[in-house]
Amino acid sequence: MTTSNPIRWGILATGSIAHALAQAIQDSTGGVLTAVGSRSLESANQFADKWDIPHRHASYEALANDPDVDVIYIATPHSHHYDNMKLCLNAGKHVLCEKAFTLNAQQAAECIALARQKKLFLMEAMWTRFLPAVQQVRDWVSTGRIGDVRLVQADFCFNLPYDPAHRLYNPNLGGGALLDLGIYPLSFTTMLLGFPTQTQSHAHRSPTGVDELDNMLLIYEGGATASLTCSMRLDRPREAFIVGTARYIKVHDPFFYPTELTLYDKETDESEHFSIPFSSNGYVGEVEEVHKCLREGKTESDIMSLDETLNLMKLMDGFRAEWGIEYPQEE
């Protein structure tokens, strides 16, 4: 792919997250929004009119086969990601797929294998990884600014009144706190510590059978632990703490798209506050990572690798097995 031509994007589905990506593509460098696909022409036209998109498709298949599209962003619920990714990859398109990547590790492994077989770019859309404040956290940890990390604590909780018709309470759509919310503190932790040697966890179920409150403990060989909570049934600050032997970092609410960090020195009891804003709506970083990889001829991102995505799905599979939770598609 030459550096002179813009990278042409298509968006698959037209929900709220699709609008966020449309804004980010328009605000990015080197990308152009060329096409949108929906399950109806009316929905595709409404979305395309808002974002001035020339190609409007009344099916996902038509979008996948559009010759004027280089890369497709998948914005459907995670219950549909597996089929959507296979459709796009088999049509020869590069893919950025919203998180959680799939329902389970088996689906993820198949999609990753297909992308690698076809030498196509594929990445999970974990936008948090590409935000300037999070990049600063990674730098502090990797350079030893806070000493050896001993504890990561992160919470993603909000109160969504019980509604069996809502997507998050619907097991057929991969509902529950884990895939929608838990992926954030889990991915944040593995970004800093890698994958644990042991885990412990507990989940409380909603009347529809999905998990609505999850507590997860990750235990590492070197002595570090991570204490993570996600819930769609209670409110609490969505903060993260990374505690080292010399200092600790507070990632202010919301930790998954932060603009504020505080660095505490435990010996002097002094602190430094940092304001680190992101551009546009926060999604530009992941879009430009796709551009960078495609320009360099890379089929995987070093910042959000496919191996890490697969291992995160395996980790979540393990938690669900402990809780006895299966999605209907897995039965």
Side-chain angles (χ1 to χ4, degrees):
M1 188 166 291
T2 64
T3 57
S4 57
N5 295 327
I7 291 169
R8 303 168 299 175
W9 284 82
I11 293 182
L12 190 152
T14 56
S16 59
I17 193 69
H19 286 277
L21 241 288
Q23 181 69 65
I25 293 166
Q26 291 197 348
D27 292 341
S28 70
T29 300
V32 60
L33 188 45
T34 301
V36 61
S38 184
R39 289 173 296 182
S40 73
L41 186 58
E42 179 184 10
S43 176
N45 280 332
Q46 288 176 351
F47 191 93
D49 288 345
K50 177 173 182 178
W51 298 105
D52 194 25
I53 302 172
H55 297 200
R56 297 108 184 269
H57 300 291
S59 71
Y60 298 155
E61 290 78 10
L63 171 66
N65 290 296
D66 188 328
D68 294 322
V69 170
D70 301 310
V71 55
I72 292 176
Y73 168 67
I74 293 173
T76 49
H78 25 247
S79 53
H80 293 62
H81 290 174
Y82 171 67
D83 290 333
N84 297 155
M85 272 192 279
K86 289 198 302 179
L87 172 69
C88 295
L89 292 167
N90 279 318
K93 299 296 191 287
H94 305 292
V95 171
L96 175 67
C97 184
E98 195 47 59
K99 74 208 108 46
F101 195 65
T102 50
L103 286 180
N104 56 43
Q106 180 180 339
Q107 291 183 348
E110 289 183 34
C111 292
I112 290 168
L114 181 60
R116 288 173 172 168
Q117 174 198 335
K118 292 183 170 294
K119 297 180 170 57
L120 292 167
F121 178 84
L122 178 62
M123 187 179 85
E124 181 180 10
M126 181 50 73
W127 64 313
T128 303
R129 295 280 175 107
F130 305 96
L131 297 172
V134 175
Q135 292 172 338
Q136 180 63 77
V137 169
R138 293 184 74 172
D139 180 68
W140 283 340
V141 170
S142 66
T143 58
R145 181 79 183 271
I146 66 170
D148 295 330
V149 176
R150 286 291 175 260
L151 173 67
V152 174
Q153 182 178 359
D155 300 316
F156 188 174
C157 301
F158 63 83
N159 185 26
L160 177 69
Y162 177 68
D163 176 4
H166 192 283
R167 176 181 67 84
L168 284 180
Y169 287 103
N170 187 344
N172 293 303
L173 295 178
L178 182 64
L179 292 190
D180 252 274
L181 312 181
I183 183 64
Y184 281 102
L186 286 168
S187 183
F188 188 84
T189 300
T190 61
M191 173 187 75
L192 300 173
L193 293 176
F195 286 85
T197 53
Q198 299 178 56
T199 63
Q200 298 175 15
S201 68
H202 172 76
H204 185 272
R205 295 196 194 197
S206 76
T208 58
V210 302
D211 56 300
E212 62 178 19
L213 169 61
D214 306 335
N215 294 302
M216 297 166 285
L217 184 68
L218 279 54
I219 303 166
Y220 290 83
E221 197 169 67
T225 59
S227 177
L228 314 175
T229 302
C230 62
S231 177
M232 55 197 196
R233 293 297 285 138
L234 57 88
D235 280 316
R236 62 172 296 167
R238 300 166 299 171
E239 300 169 335
F241 293 87
I242 306 101
V243 183
T245 51
R247 298 175 179 84
Y248 71 92
I249 305 163
K250 176 181 178 179
V251 186
H252 292 254
D253 186 351
F255 81 87
F256 47 92
Y257 61 101
T259 59
E260 306 288 327
L261 304 173
T262 303
L263 182 63
Y264 297 87
D265 189 309
K266 293 192 285 187
E267 288 189 7
T268 65
D269 205 28
E270 295 178 348
S271 64
E272 295 178 82
H273 186 80
F274 300 83
S275 179
I276 309 176
F278 49 74
S279 62
S280 181
N281 60 2
Y283 291 87
V284 171
E286 68 180 5
V287 169
E288 294 192 335
E289 173 70 2
V290 176
H291 294 170
K292 178 177 180 290
C293 290
L294 291 178
R295 300 286 187 207
E296 294 175 357
K298 296 171 65 173
T299 56
E300 301 186 27
S301 166
D302 295 327
I303 298 172
M304 189 68 240
S305 73
L306 292 176
D307 286 344
E308 186 168 2
T309 288
L310 178 58
N311 284 328
L312 280 163
M313 294 307 309
K314 290 178 180 178
L315 190 60
M316 292 191 289
D317 282 0
F319 288 133
R320 287 196 297 114
E322 289 179 34
W323 307 334
I325 292 178
E326 287 188 343
Y327 303 115
Q329 298 92 325
E330 298 175 308
E331 293 174 355

